Amino acid sequence: MASRYDRAITVFSPDGHLFQVEYAQEAVKKGSTAVGIRGTNIVVLGVEKKSVAKLQDERTVRKICALDDHVCMAFAGLTADARVVINRARVECQSHKLTVEDPVTVEYITRFIATLKQKYTQSNGRRPFGISALIVGFDDDGVPRLYQTDPSGTYHAWKANAIGRSAKTVREFLEKNYTEDAIASDNEAIKLAIKALLEVVQSGGKNIELAIIRRNQPLKMFSAKEVELYVTEIEKEKEEAEKKKSKKSV
Amino acid sequence: MAATFFGEVVKAPCRAGTEDEEEEEEEEGRREMPEDREVRQQLARKREVRLLRRQTKTSLEVSLLEKYPCSKFIIAIGNNAVAFLSSFVMNSGVWEEVGCAKLWNEWCRTADTTHLSSTEAFCGFYHLKSNPSVFLCQCSCYVAEDQQYQWLEKVFGSCPRKNMQITILTCRHVTDYKTLESTGSLPSPFLKALKTQNFKDPACCPLLEQPNIVHDLPAAVLSYCQVWKIPAILYLCYTDVMKLDLITVEAFKPILSTRSLKSLVKNIPQSTEILKKLMTTNEIQSNIYT
């Protein structure tokens, strides 16, 4: 309650912290979990669906948004900030296409978003954007990409990552389970994303939303039924693994 | 003096006391009007902390611990600590409410403990029916700086007994934890302890490192216990989620193995279920974060 809000927005503290940027990263943790996985021929984005109020239209609460035909992103944090960033990124994608007659590379649009975020950590009167984003897609060269940005404006490429609430738990799960076998096929990569989310999502498959991009194909959002099918398959595999374990111990 | 980004000069608070020049200026302007005195008295009355008896809702004539003998006192301050005690301790025995504290300040007004909704602030005192010298306090309201001493007086009295053991549980945001590392790399939530000189038992978690600064009511209780040589320990959970959160509440679990709480806790799996139910009923719909 008696916290000292005596740090001006974009001024360093004596020990070198930018407190507003660090607090913005706390805002990211208030959003529900999002996970991104880079497979061999596929990129997967999975998010924990926020519980929607009874009278609210579910279709207007989306965490996964397409930025262009070949790039999409998932975010965690302040909804309104995300809307602004996504709009700017979408305009930039089209502007780039019209100017140089080539679609943006995933790295280009990630750098654009990260630069935008960084500007807001160094401007007077503004506050940092309170969102982290996972940006996935395929470049013209056919290589799958996954990038993550955070409120400070840094961006890095990842093989798999998670953002939002319980991101640490999901990341630890991915560190243990992201193997060459796990991403060998498209289905395996999708299952890995769902398994990672099931570690932290409270009521199972019906609270998970999934999107994939395959090489040279547009973004595909999974329906609830399709997600359920994968969840059932995962549960079956789990049961069989447990049966084998108990047989071995006997 | 410190300069803010916009160029204003802000006087940084100085604990050495005010400078001499200022005192002279203050004395000149100090002639108080009767209206000012009236307003000040009204405000003091409004900010009074009252301890009420449960059944009759009348104020207690003496302090709580002078009226009832106490060997063990567990105080939970903040909604996560309160949820922990509700699920793990209060469900493992029969607790009877002996009184509640009523107060008002700019941040909160305490509600009646009989028809509480989960979001309302309250401060209730309970004792164990099978062992009435074991007390419990659940305080989910904010007690302002000027009210903390009143709260202590009404609860402990002006000359407290020394043969009781106090355990305080509270939460604090991880950004309050002083460290060279970035807060993002800390394994929050995590538990730290701070104890008075007379507390001889071992703590179930590491002690809070220097600068070991604690705030608000927990600090007031700990200071009071240190001055009166009462053994007391504060378990402080640093978390990155200040609202009611399952993982934060579960971070208090190591305390269940300490001497003061071990005898009070019976059925841990059942308590975990009760805690989960408490969480789901408290989920507030918000569209700010996605």
Side-chain angles (χ1 to χ4, degrees):
Chain A
M1 272 268 152
S3 303
R4 286 165 53 219
Y5 291 106
D6 54 350
R7 310 276 182 221
I9 290 172
T10 47
V11 168
F12 282 105
S13 73
D15 51 352
H17 288 272
L18 274 176
F19 278 107
Q20 279 303 300
V21 174
E22 292 188 17
Y23 297 160
Q25 279 164 341
E26 296 299 315
V28 170
K29 290 191 201 165
K30 287 173 128 58
S32 57
T33 321
V35 70
I37 299 208
R38 187 184 81 195
T40 338
N41 302 310
I42 190 176
V43 284
V44 187
L45 277 179
V47 299
E48 178 187 354
K49 260 197 297 202
K50 208 181 66 131
S51 46
V52 172
K54 265 195 198 161
L55 298 171
Q56 205 171 37
D57 189 337
E58 211 184 310
R59 294 168 304 168
T60 54
V61 184
R62 284 263 181 266
K63 258 170 92 82
I64 304 179
C65 309
L67 298 180
D68 202 344
D69 297 328
H70 62 299
V71 187
C72 76
M73 77 171 237
F75 66 91
L78 286 159
T79 324
D81 284 9
R83 192 184 66 233
V84 168
V85 168
I86 290 169
N87 279 342
R88 299 257 193 112
R90 283 173 171 168
V91 167
E92 179 61 22
C93 284
Q94 298 315 306
S95 169
H96 185 279
K97 213 188 271 187
L98 291 166
T99 318
V100 301
E101 295 179 4
D102 276 332
V104 294
T105 59
V106 185
E107 198 267 344
Y108 176 91
I109 195 64
T110 307
R111 192 163 12 105
F112 173 81
I113 292 173
T115 312
L116 175 67
K117 286 184 179 179
Q118 193 278 340
K119 269 193 217 150
Y120 277 66
T121 67
Q122 233 177 357
S123 286
N124 59 332
R126 299 181 183 190
R127 60 161 176 80
F129 283 103
I131 64 160
S132 279
L134 288 171
I135 302 156
V136 296
F138 279 85
D139 287 339
D140 256 351
D141 56 5
V143 178
R145 308 257 184 220
L146 164 64
Y147 286 93
Q148 188 234 342
T149 66
D150 66 22
S152 64
T154 52
Y155 73 95
H156 296 280
W158 289 76
K159 293 181 193 161
N161 199 1
I163 53 175
R165 187 168 36 217
S166 321
K168 223 179 213 166
T169 318
V170 178
R171 207 175 302 122
E172 281 167 3
F173 175 87
L174 290 171
E175 281 173 11
K176 281 196 206 122
N177 294 284
Y178 184 93
T179 57
E180 287 308 313
D181 287 335
I183 53 152
S185 77
D186 291 357
N187 269 347
E188 289 304 311
I190 295 171
K191 274 196 265 185
L192 182 62
I194 298 180
K195 273 189 237 179
L197 277 176
L198 286 172
E199 292 282 305
V200 296
V201 163
Q202 255 126 30
S203 13
K206 55 180 159 68
N207 276 359
I208 295 181
E209 205 162 62
L210 209 73
I212 60 164
I213 301 185
R214 289 197 165 100
R215 190 175 291 114
N216 296 324
Q217 286 181 33
L219 167 70
K220 175 175 159 40
M221 293 283 299
F222 278 30
S223 67
K225 273 202 202 128
E226 288 169 309
V227 175
E228 266 313 305
L229 282 170
Y230 276 103
V231 171
T232 334
E233 208 180 310
I234 290 170
E235 281 172 357
K236 239 194 250 174
E237 284 176 8
K238 221 182 181 179
E239 271 178 41
E240 284 174 8
E242 274 175 19
K243 270 192 203 154
K244 268 193 192 160
K245 240 189 191 174
S246 55
K247 268 193 190 158
K248 267 192 186 161
S249 58
V250 167
Chain B
M1 298 295 208
T4 65
F5 185 81
F6 298 102
E8 343 150 15
V9 171
V10 171
K11 188 157 174 78
C14 171
R15 283 155 66 164
T18 54
E19 294 162 4
D20 283 340
E21 301 173 356
E22 283 207 5
E23 278 188 34
E24 285 175 10
E25 285 177 14
E26 270 186 28
E27 281 202 51
E28 281 186 5
R30 202 181 282 181
R31 263 166 271 125
E32 196 182 46
M33 305 265 91
E35 296 90 42
D36 295 338
R37 203 179 310 131
E38 173 88 37
V39 169
R40 205 194 304 278
Q41 282 171 349
Q42 264 185 6
L43 198 61
R45 271 196 297 273
K46 201 170 181 188
R47 295 179 76 86
E48 210 182 291
V49 177
R50 292 175 304 139
L51 214 60
L52 303 178
R53 236 196 299 255
R54 198 218 177 303
Q55 285 88 9
T56 56
K57 294 288 177 197
T58 53
S59 292
L60 280 168
E61 315 84 27
V62 291
S63 72
L64 188 78
L65 298 187
E66 272 172 31
K67 191 174 167 66
Y68 302 97
C70 171
S71 62
K72 208 187 274 187
F73 194 4
I74 305 161
I75 310 175
I77 302 171
N79 51 4
N80 282 304
V82 163
F84 175 75
L85 282 191
S86 293
S87 322
F88 287 87
V89 176
M90 292 190 82
N91 276 297
S92 303
V94 182
W95 294 83
E96 196 185 11
E97 187 180 343
V98 289
C100 64
K102 285 241 170 267
L103 54 92
W104 173 92
N105 56 52
E106 294 79 5
W107 292 275
C108 83
R109 178 197 304 275
T110 48
D112 206 358
T113 47
T114 43
H115 301 291
L116 270 178
S117 91
S118 48
T119 45
E120 286 182 288
F122 71 102
C123 182
F125 299 88
Y126 311 85
H127 70 181
L128 192 57
K129 252 191 160 165
S130 54
N131 183 358
S133 72
V134 176
F135 274 80
L136 200 151
C137 168
Q138 301 229 14
C139 182
S140 72
C141 61
Y142 175 68
V143 182
E145 287 91 347
D146 57 317
Q147 296 172 315
Q148 283 158 15
Y149 185 71
Q150 277 189 63
W151 190 96
L152 287 168
E153 258 200 334
K154 296 268 160 76
V155 175
F156 288 91
S158 42
C159 192
R161 273 166 256 185
K162 296 176 187 31
N163 57 350
M164 56 179 166
Q165 202 183 66
I166 318 278
T167 309
I168 313 157
L169 278 68
T170 191
C171 275
R172 203 69 199 171
H173 198 273
V174 70
T175 45
D176 273 346
Y177 183 63
K178 313 287 178 212
T179 172
L180 291 169
E181 297 171 41
S182 138
T183 48
S185 58
L186 290 170
S188 49
F190 57 92
L191 216 56
K192 291 283 175 190
L194 196 60
K195 52 187 182 161
T196 61
Q197 211 162 11
N198 287 59
F199 190 89
K200 302 296 179 200
D201 290 348
C204 65
C205 63
L207 292 179
L208 185 59
E209 304 89 351
Q210 296 263 5
N212 43 9
I213 301 172
V214 191
H215 306 262
D216 302 332
L217 188 61
V221 177
L222 218 55
S223 306
Y224 186 89
C225 293
Q226 172 69 3
V227 164
W228 287 104
K229 300 192 166 56
I230 303 171
I233 185 163
L234 163 66
Y235 286 107
L236 185 42
C237 177
Y238 284 102
T239 173
D240 48 5
V241 183
M242 282 312 281
K243 68 177 177 84
L244 200 58
D245 170 63
L246 185 68
I247 301 177
T248 306
V249 176
E250 291 197 326
F252 281 113
K253 270 183 165 166
I255 305 174
L256 298 175
S257 59
T258 58
R259 202 164 67 103
S260 40
L261 263 87
K262 209 191 259 187
S263 49
L264 299 172
V265 177
K266 308 259 162 53
N267 192 343
I268 295 186
Q270 195 188 48
S271 303
T272 319
E273 281 311 306
I274 295 170
L275 182 62
K276 283 208 177 116
K277 269 201 202 139
L278 206 73
M279 294 292 152
T280 44
T281 50
N282 282 333
E283 249 175 45
I284 306 167
Q285 290 291 352
S286 162
N287 285 316
I288 304 177
Y289 302 98
T290 300

Coordinates of all heavy atoms in Angstrom, one line a residue, chain B residues 26 32 41-42 47 52 60 63 67 74-75 95 108 116 127 139 149 160 179 182-183 255 266 277 282:
Chain B
E26 N 6.7 27.1 10.8 CA 5.5 26.4 11.3 C 4.9 27.1 12.5 O 3.7 27.2 12.5 CB 5.9 25.0 11.7 CG 5.8 24.0 10.5 CD 6.0 22.6 10.9 OE1 5.7 22.2 12.1 OE2 6.5 21.8 10.1
E32 N -4.3 27.8 15.7 CA -5.4 26.9 15.2 C -6.7 27.5 15.4 O -7.0 28.0 16.5 CB -5.3 25.6 16.0 CG -6.0 24.5 15.3 CD -5.9 23.2 16.2 OE1 -6.1 23.3 17.4 OE2 -5.6 22.1 15.7
Q41 N -10.9 16.7 15.4 CA -11.5 15.7 16.4 C -12.5 14.8 15.7 O -12.5 13.6 16.0 CB -12.2 16.5 17.5 CG -11.2 17.1 18.5 CD -11.9 18.0 19.5 OE1 -13.1 18.4 19.3 NE2 -11.2 18.4 20.6
Q42 N -13.2 15.3 14.8 CA -14.2 14.5 14.1 C -13.5 13.4 13.3 O -13.9 12.2 13.3 CB -15.0 15.3 13.1 CG -16.3 15.8 13.6 CD -17.1 16.5 12.5 OE1 -16.8 16.5 11.4 NE2 -18.2 17.0 12.9
R47 N -11.6 7.7 12.6 CA -10.6 6.8 12.3 C -10.3 5.9 13.5 O -9.3 5.2 13.5 CB -9.3 7.6 11.9 CG -9.4 8.3 10.6 CD -8.1 9.1 10.3 NE -7.1 8.2 9.9 CZ -6.9 7.8 8.7 NH1 -7.7 8.2 7.7 NH2 -5.9 6.9 8.3
L52 N -15.1 -5.1 18.8 CA -16.4 -5.4 19.3 C -16.5 -6.8 19.7 O -16.0 -7.7 19.0 CB -17.5 -5.1 18.1 CG -17.5 -3.7 17.6 CD1 -18.5 -3.6 16.5 CD2 -17.8 -2.7 18.7
L60 N -15.3 -3.9 23.6 CA -14.6 -4.6 24.7 C -14.1 -3.5 25.6 O -13.5 -2.5 25.2 CB -13.5 -5.4 24.2 CG -13.8 -6.8 23.6 CD1 -12.7 -7.4 22.8 CD2 -14.3 -7.7 24.7
S63 N -8.4 -4.8 26.6 CA -7.9 -5.3 25.3 C -8.2 -6.8 25.2 O -8.5 -7.5 26.3 CB -6.4 -5.1 25.3 OG -5.8 -6.0 26.2
K67 N -8.4 -9.7 28.3 CA -9.7 -10.4 28.7 C -9.6 -11.9 28.6 O -10.1 -12.6 29.5 CB -10.8 -9.9 27.7 CG -12.2 -10.3 28.2 CD -13.2 -9.6 27.2 CE -14.6 -10.2 27.4 NZ -15.1 -9.9 28.8
I74 N -2.1 -16.6 16.2 CA -1.7 -16.6 14.8 C -2.5 -15.5 14.1 O -3.7 -15.5 14.1 CB -2.0 -18.0 14.1 CG1 -1.4 -19.1 15.0 CG2 -1.5 -18.0 12.7 CD1 -2.0 -20.4 14.7
I75 N -1.7 -14.6 13.4 CA -2.4 -13.5 12.8 C -2.1 -13.6 11.2 O -1.0 -13.7 10.8 CB -1.8 -12.2 13.3 CG1 -1.8 -12.1 14.8 CG2 -2.5 -11.0 12.7 CD1 -1.1 -10.9 15.4
W95 N -13.6 -23.4 15.5 CA -13.1 -22.1 16.0 C -14.4 -21.2 16.3 O -15.3 -21.2 15.5 CB -12.3 -21.4 14.9 CG -11.0 -22.1 14.7 CD1 -10.8 -23.2 13.9 CD2 -9.7 -21.8 15.2 NE1 -9.5 -23.6 13.9 CE2 -8.8 -22.7 14.7 CE3 -9.3 -20.8 16.1 CZ2 -7.4 -22.7 15.1 CZ3 -7.9 -20.7 16.4 CH2 -7.0 -21.7 16.0
C108 N -10.1 1.5 3.1 CA -11.1 0.5 3.2 C -12.0 0.8 4.4 O -11.7 1.5 5.3 CB -10.4 -0.9 3.4 SG -9.9 -1.2 5.1
L116 N -20.4 -11.8 5.1 CA -19.2 -11.4 4.3 C -19.3 -11.9 2.9 O -19.5 -13.1 2.7 CB -18.0 -11.9 5.0 CG -17.3 -11.0 6.0 CD1 -16.1 -11.8 6.5 CD2 -16.9 -9.7 5.4
H127 N -11.1 -18.1 18.7 CA -10.3 -19.0 19.5 C -10.8 -20.4 19.3 O -12.0 -20.6 18.9 CB -10.2 -18.5 20.9 CG -11.5 -18.7 21.7 ND1 -11.6 -18.3 23.0 CD2 -12.7 -19.2 21.4 CE1 -12.8 -18.6 23.5 NE2 -13.5 -19.1 22.5
C139 N -7.1 -10.8 9.2 CA -7.3 -9.3 8.9 C -7.1 -9.1 7.4 O -6.0 -9.1 6.9 CB -6.2 -8.6 9.7 SG -6.3 -6.8 9.5
Y149 N -1.2 1.6 15.9 CA -1.0 1.6 17.4 C -2.3 1.4 18.1 O -2.3 0.6 19.1 CB -0.3 2.9 17.9 CG 0.0 2.8 19.3 CD1 1.1 2.0 19.7 CD2 -0.7 3.5 20.3 CE1 1.4 1.9 21.1 CE2 -0.4 3.4 21.6 CZ 0.7 2.5 22.0 OH 1.0 2.4 23.3
P160 N 1.3 -6.3 27.9 CA 1.0 -7.7 27.5 C 1.8 -8.7 28.2 O 2.9 -8.5 28.7 CB 1.4 -7.7 26.0 CG 2.5 -6.7 25.9 CD 2.2 -5.7 26.9
T179 N 17.0 -6.8 -3.8 CA 18.0 -7.7 -4.3 C 18.7 -7.1 -5.5 O 18.1 -6.3 -6.2 CB 17.4 -9.1 -4.7 OG1 18.3 -9.9 -5.4 CG2 16.2 -8.8 -5.6
S182 N 17.3 -9.2 -11.0 CA 16.0 -8.7 -11.6 C 14.9 -9.5 -11.0 O 15.0 -10.7 -10.8 CB 16.1 -8.8 -13.1 OG 14.9 -9.2 -13.6
T183 N 13.8 -8.8 -10.7 CA 12.6 -9.5 -10.1 C 12.1 -10.7 -11.0 O 11.5 -11.6 -10.5 CB 11.5 -8.6 -9.8 OG1 11.2 -7.8 -11.0 CG2 11.8 -7.6 -8.7
I255 N 4.9 -23.7 6.5 CA 4.6 -23.3 7.9 C 3.8 -24.3 8.7 O 3.9 -24.4 9.9 CB 3.8 -21.9 7.9 CG1 4.6 -20.9 7.1 CG2 3.6 -21.4 9.3 CD1 3.8 -19.6 6.9
K266 N -5.2 -30.8 10.6 CA -5.5 -32.2 10.6 C -5.4 -32.8 9.1 O -4.7 -33.7 8.8 CB -6.8 -32.5 11.2 CG -7.0 -31.9 12.6 CD -6.8 -32.8 13.7 CE -6.5 -32.1 15.0 NZ -7.5 -31.0 15.3
K277 N -11.8 -24.5 -4.0 CA -13.2 -24.0 -4.1 C -13.2 -22.5 -3.8 O -13.9 -21.8 -4.5 CB -14.1 -24.7 -3.1 CG -14.7 -26.0 -3.7 CD -16.0 -26.4 -2.9 CE -16.2 -27.8 -3.1 NZ -16.6 -28.6 -1.9
N282 N -14.0 -17.0 -6.2 CA -13.5 -15.6 -6.1 C -13.1 -15.0 -7.4 O -12.6 -13.9 -7.4 CB -12.4 -15.5 -5.1 CG -12.9 -15.5 -3.7 OD1 -14.0 -15.1 -3.4 ND2 -12.1 -16.0 -2.8

